[in-house]
Amino acid sequence: MQQGIFFPSTELDSTPEIVRTFTRAVEDMGYDYILHGDHVLGAPHDRQPRMWGPYDERDAFYDPFVLTGYMAAISTRIEFATSVLILPQRQTVLVAKQAGDVAVLSGNRLRIGAGIGWNFVEYEALAQDFTKRGKRMDQQIALLRRLWSEPVTTGEAGAERVDRAGLHPRPSEPVPVWLGGYADVALRRAARVGDGFTFAGLIEEIAPRQRVLRRMLAEEGRDPAGFPTELVMIPPPGPDQGRWPRDRPNFLGGMGDTVAQWREFGGTHIGVVTYWMGLNGLGEHLAFAEKALAIARK
C-alpha cells in the first residue's frame, strides 16, 4: 500500500521556504506522494444560500499545477496528486495543457484527483454553471484523455469545442484521473470513467462505500481487484464538536487501526493528514508526519 501526505497549506506560512522544506523532508522520509487541495477563491460563508464546506477566505491554497510544478522541480522521486481538483470550474483545454506539462517536466509524477466541489462562489467568478458541474466533468474527462493522447483532436466539453487542434508537448501517457466525492453519483462516475477513487473521512463510514464502489465496478464490467482506491485519513472530531471543527484530537493513537482496516478492505493508497489537530509550525507537522509514516508502513 502506498503512503501519501497532504500538504497542509491552510496551517503553514505561504512561503517558498516552507514548500521547499516540506517537499524535501517528506520525500526523504519515504512518502510515495504528496496530496494538495484546490480552491481558486475563498469566500465568507455568511451569504444565501449558505456555504457548507470547511474552508473560507482565511484559508490558503496554491494553484495545484503551479504548486506541483515547483515541488517536482525541487524533488526527484516523490509523486503528486490533486485532492481534489475542482475540474468543472476550470477550462478543459487549459487543464489538459497545465497537467500535461507538469507530467512531461516531472517524468509522469502527477495524478489528478477530480471532484465537483461545493464553493458556488468560485464557479460564478470563473463563469461556469454550478448546477451542471457533474455532467460537465464527465465530458471533460473524455476530452482530457483525447488531448493527452492524440496529436490532433476534435471534441467538445459543454460549450467548449476543440476543432482539429492538439497539445505539444504531450505526456508520454495520459495523466491518471481519479474521482472523489461523498455521494453515490461520484462512485458511479468513478466506476464508469475513473482510473481510481479517493475516499476521505472515517473508516467506519468508508467501508460500506468501498463495497458499493466494487459492486458498481462489476456492473460496469470492470475488475474491482484492479481498481486503486485511496483513503485520506481526516482526523475524527471529538465528542459534540460538529461537522468541521478545527481543533480535533490528535489522531496518531487511532491511526494504526484505520490503516489495518483499510488494508483489509483492499485499499491501495492511504493519505496522512496533519491539519486540524492544533499542530504549530512546520516542525510539528513534520514530526507528526514521520510518526504517521511509521504507523502506515506496519
Side-chain angles (χ1 to χ4, degrees):
M1 190 162 63
Q2 292 193 32
Q3 293 87 33
I5 184 164
F6 217 102
F7 176 59
S9 63
T10 61
E11 297 193 4
L12 298 177
D13 293 335
S14 299
T15 68
E17 292 78 18
I18 291 287
V19 178
R20 182 166 57 247
T21 302
F22 179 91
T23 303
R24 290 174 173 168
V26 298
E27 182 174 55
D28 290 344
M29 287 178 197
Y31 275 96
D32 297 299
Y33 60 97
I34 297 174
L35 297 152
H36 50 275
D38 172 34
H39 281 291
V40 176
L41 293 175
H45 286 205
D46 56 343
R47 61 182 72 230
Q48 292 297 327
R50 289 194 64 84
M51 300 175 73
W52 60 267
Y55 303 109
D56 59 26
E57 78 281 4
R58 296 165 293 183
D59 293 300
F61 288 89
Y62 291 96
D63 177 87
F65 299 119
V66 174
L67 179 65
T68 302
Y70 181 76
M71 286 181 165
I74 59 174
S75 60
T76 58
R77 172 196 58 81
I78 200 163
E79 298 181 352
F80 309 96
T82 61
S83 185
V84 292
L85 179 77
I86 307 169
L87 182 57
Q89 70 183 16
R90 292 173 174 267
Q91 293 174 301
T92 311
V93 173
L94 187 57
V95 169
K97 179 62 175 173
Q98 291 172 316
D101 284 354
V102 170
V104 168
L105 295 173
S106 69
N108 293 320
R109 287 191 280 155
L110 175 65
R111 161 176 40 112
I112 289 180
I116 62 173
W118 53 267
N119 184 339
F120 56 85
V121 175
E122 288 182 294
Y123 274 83
E124 181 179 1
L126 294 166
Q128 298 297 335
D129 189 339
F130 184 76
T131 65
K132 298 179 180 178
R133 61 199 191 280
K135 179 179 179 180
R136 172 171 162 77
M137 187 158 71
D138 287 345
Q139 299 168 335
Q140 288 180 290
I141 292 170
L143 183 56
L144 286 171
R145 287 177 173 148
R146 294 188 62 189
L147 287 165
W148 288 326
S149 59
E150 299 174 5
V152 177
T153 298
T154 295
E156 298 178 353
E160 298 175 307
R161 176 169 171 77
V162 178
D163 182 10
R164 296 181 60 246
L167 302 177
H168 190 63
R170 296 190 313 280
S172 59
E173 56 193 53
V175 179
V177 180
W178 292 28
L179 282 300
Y182 295 95
D184 281 357
V185 66
L187 299 177
R188 176 61 70 181
R189 181 177 294 113
R192 191 174 65 252
V193 301
D195 295 316
F197 194 87
T198 293
F199 296 95
L202 310 183
I203 189 68
E204 56 267 26
E205 299 173 350
I206 298 306
R209 299 187 66 233
Q210 173 83 314
R211 289 191 288 269
V212 171
L213 175 59
R214 288 176 175 172
R215 173 178 56 79
M216 290 180 175
L217 285 163
E219 291 170 353
E220 296 290 340
R222 305 180 68 182
D223 180 11
F227 191 84
T229 53
E230 174 182 48
L231 171 61
V232 178
M233 297 184 290
I234 296 177
D240 303 320
Q241 279 196 308
R243 186 171 188 179
W244 298 117
R246 298 293 184 102
D247 55 347
R248 305 179 184 214
N250 190 295
F251 186 44
L252 278 176
M255 194 175 292
D257 288 342
T258 294
V259 171
Q261 290 180 64
W262 186 237
R263 186 176 286 112
E264 289 178 6
F265 294 150
T268 59
H269 296 64
I270 196 153
V272 170
V273 168
T274 65
Y275 53 78
W276 291 346
M277 290 178 289
L279 301 178
N280 294 312
L282 179 60
E284 290 191 10
H285 282 267
L286 291 177
F288 184 101
E290 191 164 23
K291 295 174 183 176
L293 180 59
I295 294 171
R297 284 175 164 174
K298 291 182 178 178

